[in-house]
Amino acid sequence: MAVTIRDLAERVGLSMSAVSKALNGYSDVSESTRRAVIEAAQELNYTPNVHARALKSKRSYNLGVLFSDDSQSGLTHPFFSVVLESFKKEAEQRGYDITFIGHRIGQGRLTYLDHCRSRELDGVCIANTDFSADEIMMLVRSELPLVTIDNPFPDRGCVLADNIGGMTQLVNYVIDRGHRRIGYIHGPASAVTNLRIRAFRETAKQRGVEVPDEYLVQCSYTDPKSCYEATRQMLSLENRPTCILLCDDFSSTGALRAADAEGLRVPEDVSLAGYDGIDYLQNLQPRLTTVDQDAESIGQAAAQMLISQIEGARSETRTVPARLISGETVRMVG
């Protein structure tokens, strides 16, 4: 016999109404209560009647995710794959399914907004895309509950990584280790890139460190080949930096290869630091100095905020703190 919500309520000692609210992510249920109900549901193999729930609530219990990037890395993206997995896990625990938003259903081509409406999605999360594109703005201006990651819009939910705080920590750490010639290989222009460059320049200025124009070079995000070429360019300078900050951890493999091609050791001859805090890249030797953006918390917060909006809460902006990982690729000088 199938386990019912009454059985679940008796198991945890709560009313059926409280259990239902906990399963559906209502904001007036405490996190500890929600977790207790979810754990009991898993133990009893409780499966909600999604069709009946949808008819009663007039919702689809389906969230859209719009994710695209220039490198076409999709769900293999070293940073956003963790964000999206965390988003998915949190949404599923709250009883929601996930649909990835694209331009096609079968042979037909749809706008992103039409795709959302055709699937009767309750809300949508947008990450790592061109936020200025017309189709994205159509979504932002629509009636759909919406959360973005790292690109805020007025009166819309947003989860921000602390790009200013993370870069400030990193630059201060490098300067504290005696470096005064610090280069930065940054990504293409975007809200995230602009914040990091600003924090880099302002922190260096506050600490009395001059940054020549040739110490800032652009490359593509998550592209070791592009980072390799940018690193070779910076290492060819007559007065080259003693430490180079990189756009992301994944691209650091290109920088390490560039240093080796120049006959330089890391960190003995040149120091390097990444950005993102990707776990598997912490297995490199020497261990990469970087900034952990806490991708899991970003994804979890995005799902929580989107579901709260669907349940009637107001939009908000939340910033997830960043944490320096000292690693072994920035040596002490002076």
Side-chain angles (χ1 to χ4, degrees), residues 25-40:
Y26 278 72
S27 58
D28 58 348
V29 176
S30 70
E31 183 65 17
S32 59
T33 297
R34 188 176 71 84
R35 292 292 179 188
V37 170
I38 289 172
E39 288 174 7

Side-chain angles (χ1 to χ4, degrees), residues 91-156:
E92 288 176 345
Q93 286 183 340
R94 291 174 177 251
Y96 285 77
D97 290 323
I98 304 295
T99 292
F100 284 92
I101 303 305
H103 281 125
R104 294 195 176 278
I105 299 179
Q107 298 302 312
R109 191 182 192 283
L110 302 173
T111 66
Y112 292 138
L113 180 56
D114 285 340
H115 191 168
C116 291
R117 287 172 172 165
S118 71
R119 296 300 189 191
E120 299 182 334
L121 301 179
D122 293 332
V124 62
C125 175
I126 307 176
N128 198 41
T129 191
D130 178 3
F131 286 96
S132 65
D134 290 342
E135 284 196 53
I136 300 299
M137 294 309 301
M138 286 174 62
L139 273 173
V140 171
R141 290 191 292 263
S142 75
E143 77 288 351
L144 274 174
L146 181 144
V147 168
T148 58
I149 294 177
D150 267 345
N151 198 102
F153 291 98
D155 302 318
R156 285 302 205 170

Side-chain angles (χ1 to χ4, degrees), residues 24-304:
N24 293 318
Y26 278 72
S27 58
D28 58 348
V29 176
S30 70
E31 183 65 17
S32 59
T33 297
R34 188 176 71 84
R35 292 292 179 188
V37 170
I38 289 172
E39 288 174 7
Q42 292 171 343
E43 292 170 2
L44 295 176
N45 293 320
Y46 169 76
T47 302
N49 187 328
V50 177
H51 182 65
R53 184 176 63 157
L55 287 174
K56 182 178 180 181
S57 64
K58 296 182 180 180
R59 297 192 192 119
S60 65
Y61 290 90
N62 196 351
L63 305 179
V65 172
L66 200 166
F67 171 88
S68 63
D69 67 303
D70 292 339
S71 63
Q72 301 295 308
S73 57
L75 297 182
T76 65
H77 191 289
F79 176 73
F80 280 100
S81 61
V82 180
V83 173
L84 297 177
E85 177 60 28
S86 179
F87 180 94
K88 176 177 177 288
K89 181 179 178 181
E90 182 68 20
E92 288 176 345
Q93 286 183 340
R94 291 174 177 251
Y96 285 77
D97 290 323
I98 304 295
T99 292
F100 284 92
I101 303 305
H103 281 125
R104 294 195 176 278
I105 299 179
Q107 298 302 312
R109 191 182 192 283
L110 302 173
T111 66
Y112 292 138
L113 180 56
D114 285 340
H115 191 168
C116 291
R117 287 172 172 165
S118 71
R119 296 300 189 191
E120 299 182 334
L121 301 179
D122 293 332
V124 62
C125 175
I126 307 176
N128 198 41
T129 191
D130 178 3
F131 286 96
S132 65
D134 290 342
E135 284 196 53
I136 300 299
M137 294 309 301
M138 286 174 62
L139 273 173
V140 171
R141 290 191 292 263
S142 75
E143 77 288 351
L144 274 174
L146 181 144
V147 168
T148 58
I149 294 177
D150 267 345
N151 198 102
F153 291 98
D155 302 318
R156 285 302 205 170
C158 182
V159 180
L160 297 169
D162 189 3
N163 289 288
I164 291 179
M167 181 57 75
T168 300
Q169 288 182 64
L170 184 57
V171 175
N172 276 324
Y173 175 78
V174 168
I175 293 172
D176 287 343
R177 294 187 71 77
H179 293 271
R180 293 296 180 271
R181 302 202 310 270
I182 307 167
Y184 181 24
I185 297 175
H186 57 81
S190 68
V192 168
T193 298
N194 295 342
L195 286 173
R196 292 183 188 174
I197 292 175
R198 190 180 95 194
F200 172 74
R201 285 190 174 278
E202 290 181 356
T203 306
K205 183 178 180 180
Q206 290 168 5
R207 296 293 301 272
V209 173
E210 183 180 353
V211 181
D213 289 343
E214 60 266 29
Y215 276 19
L216 281 92
V217 177
Q218 179 175 312
C219 78
S220 301
Y221 282 117
T222 64
D223 187 344
K225 181 179 179 181
S226 176
C227 189
Y228 170 86
E229 294 168 352
T231 305
R232 290 292 298 268
Q233 175 183 334
M234 196 168 287
L235 291 176
S236 69
L237 294 173
E238 183 176 353
N239 192 30
R240 71 183 182 218
T242 61
C243 181
I244 301 174
L245 311 185
L246 308 168
C247 59
D248 60 73
D249 287 359
F250 191 69
S251 297
S252 69
T253 57
L256 288 166
R257 190 162 56 87
D260 183 66
E262 294 288 336
L264 301 174
R265 299 166 299 164
V266 176
E268 292 85 355
D269 301 316
V270 62
S271 294
L272 300 175
Y275 206 102
D276 279 344
I278 297 173
D279 284 343
Y280 69 84
L281 287 175
Q282 283 295 299
N283 293 316
L284 291 174
Q285 292 297 323
R287 192 163 63 91
L288 185 65
T289 299
T290 187
V291 173
D292 179 7
Q293 297 198 83
D294 196 354
E296 289 188 9
S297 292
I298 291 171
Q300 182 183 47
Q304 291 172 347

